Amino acid sequence: DDPVTLECPEVYADAGATTTQELAYAIATVAEYMRQLIGSGLGADAAAQQIGLALSVSSDFFSQIAKLRAARMLFAKVVGAFGASPAAQATVIHARTASFTKTRRDPWVNMLRVTTQTFAAAVGGADSIASLPFDEALGVPDALGRRIARNTSIVLAEESAIGEVIDPAGGSHAVEALTQELARAAWAELQALEAGGG
């Protein structure tokens, strides 16, 4: 069975959540899904394998790479706490370029934002990426906007060979440190949420 992706990329980010809050709320939702799925009779492994993450990727390049990396760590930690095996602690991450970073006044600049966000998602290890059209803030995207959105990830993959590298950010002290810092902060926020009833 295909996993049910936790669709929350726009909800938390567009509501003004910080990167830490977005991660904490997404993982808190994973914990609630685990409780509900296990309560309905699924084992921890089966429950964990039914959940995927969808996260918004904004323009803060390095924090977004770290966010996706931290999301994997936190997901594994939470589902592991429910008794899921190491094999079931892996998740599928779908990244989506952020809508709130797009401008109506100068939509052409949005192409740069979408490209940067798409690249950050790829470096961060997203399993799939939705690059939104640069002209989405103006209404229904036109054919050019849709074509460029489709081709952004294709060009990045072809030009940088990013898909050929297992962990593009692995070993970078700055990214590793930021990932750990973000994971600790999100875990603290998650614990506060859980202490308040989830």
Side-chain angles (χ1 to χ4, degrees):
D1 294 345
D2 292 331
V4 175
T5 302
L6 174 59
E7 289 291 346
C8 60
E10 302 298 313
V11 176
Y12 303 134
D14 283 350
T18 65
T19 302
T20 300
Q21 291 169 332
E22 183 183 1
L23 255 182
Y25 300 158
I27 299 302
T29 306
V30 168
E32 182 59 28
Y33 277 25
M34 287 295 290
R35 279 191 281 274
Q36 294 295 324
L37 290 168
I38 290 170
S40 70
L42 284 178
D45 280 13
Q49 291 168 343
Q50 292 299 312
I51 304 170
L53 290 173
L55 297 168
S56 177
V57 178
S58 68
S59 297
D60 190 357
F61 188 72
F62 289 106
S63 77
Q64 298 307 295
I65 293 169
K67 177 175 72 177
L68 296 180
R69 294 168 62 84
R72 285 193 189 283
M73 295 167 44
L74 294 170
F75 182 90
K77 189 170 182 175
V78 165
V79 300
F82 281 94
S85 69
Q89 292 175 17
T91 188
V92 173
I93 294 182
H94 172 71
R96 183 176 177 185
T97 59
S99 294
F100 74 88
T101 61
K102 308 306 180 295
T103 178
R104 295 176 63 128
R105 291 189 181 267
D106 193 1
W108 304 106
V109 175
N110 294 340
M111 279 192 235
L112 299 174
R113 291 184 177 116
V114 168
T115 302
T116 302
Q117 292 165 6
T118 302
F119 191 63
V123 173
D127 296 295
S128 62
I129 304 167
S131 301
L132 300 179
F134 74 93
D135 56 349
E136 71 168 329
L138 299 173
V140 177
D142 64 14
L144 177 64
R146 292 190 307 273
R147 179 172 173 246
I148 290 175
R150 182 197 68 214
N151 289 340
T152 298
S153 58
I154 295 170
V155 170
L156 283 172
E158 294 295 322
E159 295 296 322
S160 69
I162 194 75
E164 305 297 320
V165 182
I166 293 173
D167 187 2
S172 163
H173 174 71
V175 173
E176 297 285 0
L178 186 55
T179 300
Q180 292 297 325
E181 178 185 328
L182 188 54
R184 280 193 294 274
W187 187 256
E189 181 82 19
L190 171 65
Q191 288 177 314
L193 288 169
E194 289 292 309

